[in-house]
Amino acid sequence: QALVGTFTVGGGLGETGAALRWFELRRTGAASWTLYQEGTFDPGDGRDRFVGSIAMDGSGNIAIGYSVSSSAMNPAIRYTARLWSDALGTMQTESTLINGTGSQTGSDRWGDYSAIAVDPVNDSTFWYTNEYYPVNATTTWKTRVGTFSVTKKRTGQVTSQ
């Protein structure tokens, strides 16, 4: 049994220091849950990452979807992943689901929804949804839903549809 989780933490190298902390707990039989691996995803590019959502597919590959932005970049929807065989505590290079072309101007509170789920038909396709802005607007965001899969080969390629 495995359980994964993610949350936004400070200490990153973005303008406000927002990064994604993630973890995987494992349990065998009736034993207690133990920490199997953990990490902080922050590529160090000066952008903040926040409002993450995490899931694990049937092969043990893990994916995190999230928002990313900075004062010079409109909020985008991105994701990162790791193969079950990658070094513990690491994530691969991020990929973009959509680049936002606008920013929120009417509130200092970003949406609180971000959801990722594994397709029950093939147990390997990740479905992810989050908000973005196509133009500057007060609070009239749009929702994007996308899918991607993590290749199970050691090459670690992430593909997006």
Side-chain angles (χ1 to χ4, degrees):
Q1 292 177 327
L3 173 71
V4 291
T6 187
F7 47 94
T8 304
V9 296
L13 298 176
E15 291 174 335
T16 61
L20 297 169
R21 186 78 179 152
W22 63 275
F23 61 89
E24 177 185 356
L25 303 177
R26 288 200 177 172
R27 180 175 156 173
T28 55
S32 300
W33 290 95
T34 58
L35 180 64
Y36 179 70
Q37 64 175 322
E38 62 184 326
T40 300
F41 184 73
D42 180 21
D45 60 3
R47 298 176 180 144
D48 292 297
R49 285 153 180 86
F50 52 97
V51 190
S53 186
I54 189 170
M56 178 186 284
D57 71 12
S59 297
N61 303 311
I62 297 173
I64 306 172
Y66 49 90
S67 295
V68 59
S69 72
S70 72
S71 62
M73 176 191 165
N74 292 314
I77 302 173
R78 294 188 180 173
Y79 60 91
T80 185
R82 64 174 276 59
L83 293 170
W84 63 270
S85 56
D86 288 343
L88 293 179
T90 63
M91 286 286 170
Q92 298 177 2
T93 304
E94 69 186 358
S95 296
T96 300
L97 186 61
I98 186 171
N99 283 315
T101 50
S103 291
Q104 178 176 286
T105 60
S107 172
D108 60 358
R109 181 179 176 274
W110 189 249
D112 57 3
Y113 71 92
S114 169
I116 193 168
V118 178
D119 193 318
V121 173
N122 63 19
D123 206 16
S124 65
T125 300
F126 291 94
W127 287 81
Y128 182 61
T129 184
N130 201 340
E131 77 173 66
Y132 73 101
Y133 281 79
V135 297
N136 289 346
T138 55
T139 57
T140 52
W141 66 88
K142 302 294 181 194
T143 300
R144 177 58 57 112
V145 177
T147 65
F148 60 92
S149 297
V150 179
T151 21
K152 293 166 184 60
K153 297 177 184 173
R154 185 63 185 134
T155 59
Q157 296 298 311
V158 177
T159 58
S160 177
Q161 300 176 355

